[in-house]
Amino acid sequence: MPTWSGTRKKLETDYLCPALRGRVRYFATTYSKCPDHEGRAAILVDGVEVLKSSYYEFAPAYWKLQSELRKLEETDWREAAFKAGQTILEDGLFDQRDFYAAFQEFDNQSMETSLSSENPIVRIFALLDRRLGKRRLAALEETMENELDWVRPFYLLRIEAEGLNLQKEKEVC
């Protein structure tokens, strides 16, 4: 597994679109004095943590939901764990390991695959990627209407940074 500094460099230098360089920063850490070296991750825009989560937010919600799923659906722990993980991630809760895993997925697949990934963090990485051109970005407008509430702001940030207008804005005028 690559180091966090190498991962951050790739995200902020190699992948990040030029219009957002210097405005978007990625952050992930593990706390060495915590049990199991738990930590947190965030995406900062203009120095403000726009997206953030930690193990201590993620874990209680995950274990509670997994327990509820096992009782309600009478499923085995593996299936309940998978469903709980997906649901919690869609709610915007994750830990630094999910952030690292999302980068590994993003770094090893095409832009098109990343944009349609089941992992919302991967979709955010793709929305901020320099390889996503302005025409393709504008074409995502309808898709973004159905996107998660915590992913959509990254689309709007990119649209604003690129100086693009949305179709809905044009229709109103």
Side-chain angles (χ1 to χ4, degrees), residues 122-154:
V122 172
R123 295 194 304 269
I124 289 172
F125 292 156
L127 288 171
L128 302 178
D129 192 313
R130 66 176 171 73
R131 298 172 296 167
L132 180 62
K134 290 181 181 180
R135 279 184 279 185
R136 179 71 175 108
L137 182 65
L140 290 173
E141 184 176 1
E142 278 187 40
T143 308
M144 288 297 123
E145 290 177 11
N146 300 322
E147 186 57 85
L148 297 171
D149 290 340
W150 58 276
V151 174
R152 196 174 310 115
F154 291 97

Side-chain angles (χ1 to χ4, degrees), residues 46-105:
D46 299 326
V48 176
E49 289 185 356
V50 176
L51 174 65
K52 61 183 176 185
S53 190
S54 73
Y55 174 81
Y56 295 103
E57 294 171 298
F58 160 82
Y62 170 80
W63 291 112
K64 180 180 178 195
L65 181 60
Q66 182 185 7
S67 176
E68 289 171 2
L69 287 172
R70 288 179 65 191
K71 288 176 187 171
L72 291 174
E73 298 178 10
E74 295 184 11
T75 60
D76 71 353
W77 69 270
R78 287 180 192 90
E79 187 175 338
F82 177 77
K83 284 183 180 180
Q86 287 297 110
T87 303
I88 294 299
L89 184 58
E90 288 174 4
D91 289 342
L93 296 173
F94 54 90
D95 68 5
Q96 78 282 4
R97 288 181 203 89
D98 295 321
F99 205 73
Y100 300 141
F103 174 74
Q104 288 301 315
E105 179 182 333

